Amino acid sequence: MKKLLLAGTATLALTGAASAEDVKLGIILGFTGPLESITPNMASGAELAINEVNEAGTLLEGSKVTVVRADSTCVDAAAATAAAERLVTSDKVQGIMGADCSGVTGAVLQNVARPNGVVMISPSATSPALSEAEDDGLFFRTAPSDARQGEVIAEILNERDIGSVAITYTNNDYGKGLADSIQQAFEKAGGKVTISAAHEDGKADYSAEVAALAAAGGDMLVVAGYVDQGGKGVIQAALDTGAFETFFLPDGMYGEALVEAIGSPLDGSFGTVPGTDSEGATKILDMAKEAGFDGTSSYVGESYDAASLILLAMQAAGSAAPADYKSKIEEVANAPGEKVYPGDLAKAIELLKAGTDIDYVGATNVELIGPGESAGSFREYTVKDGKFETDRFR
């Protein structure tokens, strides 16, 4: 049954029985692959919003929302495209929450969403290249671009008196885009990148990669990889050989699974992950706790916000057809309007019905700029005593 659910060939009615008026929303994330430890919480975040709307029972005059899950694998573009194609052609979804990783997100956008005119909002695809992608007004994201993350990382490195770094990155769109962004921003600020080298995921031994990084040197190693894959392997190999003692951990490396795997040697390492200390961030943590999942996990808030924006845009348009509601997404996301936070979706629907503008702040201080881009905020953290401790927000 699990395989059927992840492949998108079975649907889950979240509230009530299915009917002809039901709205179908696809959730495509890497339930298998290098982010599989965090994607269940991301899906739960999106489904939290869907359940909230279904409990209200007022979306589009009583339509219920049914979610269909599909597996992007995070890294296999062909598999992600096939899964998304099933969502659109077989399951007839009217919007997609996802995908997650940048490469598969780009593939789904060009091969499925655009040809079929389906809106997609990614909670976690951060490659700067997606800012330039042709999208016909169908693609949005609630996580900020890595162009911004690179600037933030450079600021943090300078503030912590790190003069030089080696960079290793997962060999895909996400890793290369983030590594380039970090290098450009860090060097512009006067720092030195001794080496920027790709690593492949799925290897059993990263000693050769670590040897090259160690030979180049640097005050610390920046690991732009994945928490369940090569990034973790590179860190372990670096610790085993004494090549590096501290690591910078961007968003793809943030996850309890990393601390559990590495243990106390990770203490003192630090990094960034999208996040905010807003009122909405506190609310989503409480809501997730009540629902029985970890709201502190990466991209939970962004996933809640992505699903919420799709549903509220439908209400604003008075239609679940992507061609009708795609132009409403930025309208409901941005000022002016009455502010909407997690837990306020029923109220937001009523406001829209009354013709009142809303400003969806959500869990992550949503503000869409440019072509569906998130302005975004980041949480700076340090690993202390085997836990991620927040230092500040930027």
Side-chain angles (χ1 to χ4, degrees), residues 234-380:
V234 169
I235 289 175
Q236 189 63 66
L239 290 169
D240 290 344
T241 60
F244 294 93
E245 295 181 351
T246 56
F247 308 89
F248 193 98
L249 308 170
D251 57 327
M253 295 301 299
Y254 181 86
E256 294 296 333
L258 183 67
V259 174
E260 293 170 2
I262 303 295
S264 60
L266 204 61
D267 286 352
S269 293
F270 51 95
T272 49
V273 65
T276 173
D277 58 349
S278 66
E279 179 182 341
T282 301
K283 286 187 174 182
I284 198 69
L285 291 177
D286 292 341
M287 290 169 65
K289 183 177 181 180
E290 184 176 346
F293 68 96
D294 182 10
T296 68
S297 185
S298 299
Y299 298 112
V300 167
E302 287 82 1
S303 298
Y304 176 94
D305 289 343
S308 296
L309 285 174
I310 291 175
L311 298 177
L312 293 177
M314 288 178 177
Q315 182 61 52
S319 168
D324 295 333
Y325 76 78
K326 68 178 184 180
S327 64
K328 298 294 184 179
I329 291 174
E330 289 195 26
E331 286 186 23
V332 299
N334 296 344
E338 188 165 337
K339 295 188 182 302
V340 173
Y341 296 94
D344 292 344
L345 300 187
K347 180 184 79 171
I349 290 171
E350 293 306 315
L351 289 168
L352 290 168
K353 283 184 176 182
T356 303
D357 289 339
I358 66 169
D359 174 13
Y360 182 82
V361 179
T364 63
N365 263 355
V366 171
E367 184 72 16
L368 296 182
I369 57 176
E373 294 282 307
S374 169
S377 300
F378 286 89
R379 176 160 66 97
E380 177 185 348

Side-chain angles (χ1 to χ4, degrees), residues 12-18 22 50-55 64-66:
L12 173 66
L14 294 177
T15 304
D22 277 3
I50 295 165
N51 280 325
E52 188 179 336
V53 167
N54 279 338
E55 286 170 7
K64 297 298 183 182
V65 185
T66 300

Side-chain angles (χ1 to χ4, degrees), residues 193-220:
V193 174
T194 61
I195 185 175
S196 182
H199 63 258
E200 301 293 339
D201 288 323
K203 295 181 63 175
D205 182 8
Y206 288 94
S207 57
E209 288 85 351
V210 168
L213 295 166
D219 295 337
M220 71 182 306

Side-chain angles (χ1 to χ4, degrees), residues 156 160 247 249 254 259 266-272 379-392:
I156 294 171
R160 300 204 185 202
F247 308 89
L249 308 170
Y254 181 86
V259 174
L266 204 61
D267 286 352
S269 293
F270 51 95
T272 49
R379 176 160 66 97
E380 177 185 348
Y381 66 86
T382 299
V383 182
K384 298 177 182 177
D385 298 323
K387 295 181 179 179
F388 295 108
E389 294 196 3
T390 298
D391 298 315
R392 59 177 292 190

